[in-house]
Amino acid sequence: MNGSTYRFSMHGHTYPGPLVMLWFSARWCAPCKQMAPIIDQITGVYQHRLHIIRIDIDEQPDTAAEFGIRAVPTLVLIGREKMLSFTVGITPFSDLKNWINQYLN
């Protein structure tokens, strides 16, 4: 990313696109593994409009705590100035698209 340091928090993000989605997961989490192909599809559809960051809660417990993550998988949408929404559990592709579209439009 051109050597720039981008940041995200509950108070927004500094990435070039309008939205960031944090995907809180864990290696041992079976539902997280089920979400992987869905996230891959979302990545393809929203390639230049949504930046997706996968966060392993075991490797980054402070980040998980900051966002109040209590279960995985959890997806968090962050706009430029604040956290917008979150969803917990396996979310079907069509539902995920509808959820993201609410904040892109």
Side-chain angles (χ1 to χ4, degrees):
M1 290 195 188
N2 300 332
S4 298
T5 302
Y6 298 106
R7 297 176 190 258
F8 64 86
S9 75
M10 292 198 55
H11 305 291
H13 70 82
T14 61
Y15 290 87
L19 284 180
V20 168
M21 184 172 75
L22 304 181
W23 174 21
F24 289 92
S25 65
R27 281 189 213 121
W28 48 262
C29 170
C32 299
K33 292 174 185 172
Q34 290 177 285
M35 280 294 296
I38 297 168
I39 298 296
D40 288 345
Q41 283 182 291
I42 291 295
T43 300
V45 171
Y46 296 99
Q47 203 168 49
H48 300 289
R49 299 180 294 162
L50 178 69
H51 186 80
I52 300 172
I53 302 169
R54 186 174 187 170
I55 298 171
D56 187 302
I57 61 166
D58 294 326
E59 294 175 6
Q60 297 180 26
D62 293 343
T63 304
E66 176 185 351
F67 284 88
I69 304 304
R70 298 187 185 275
V72 288
T74 295
L75 303 175
V76 176
L77 279 181
I78 304 171
R80 293 217 180 266
E81 298 177 0
K82 65 182 178 179
M83 184 178 98
L84 301 170
S85 183
F86 68 93
T87 183
V88 179
I90 298 172
T91 307
F93 175 75
S94 60
D95 292 351
L96 202 51
K97 259 182 71 172
N98 291 335
W99 178 61
I100 293 165
N101 286 338
Q102 291 182 92
Y103 298 98
L104 278 176
N105 299 330

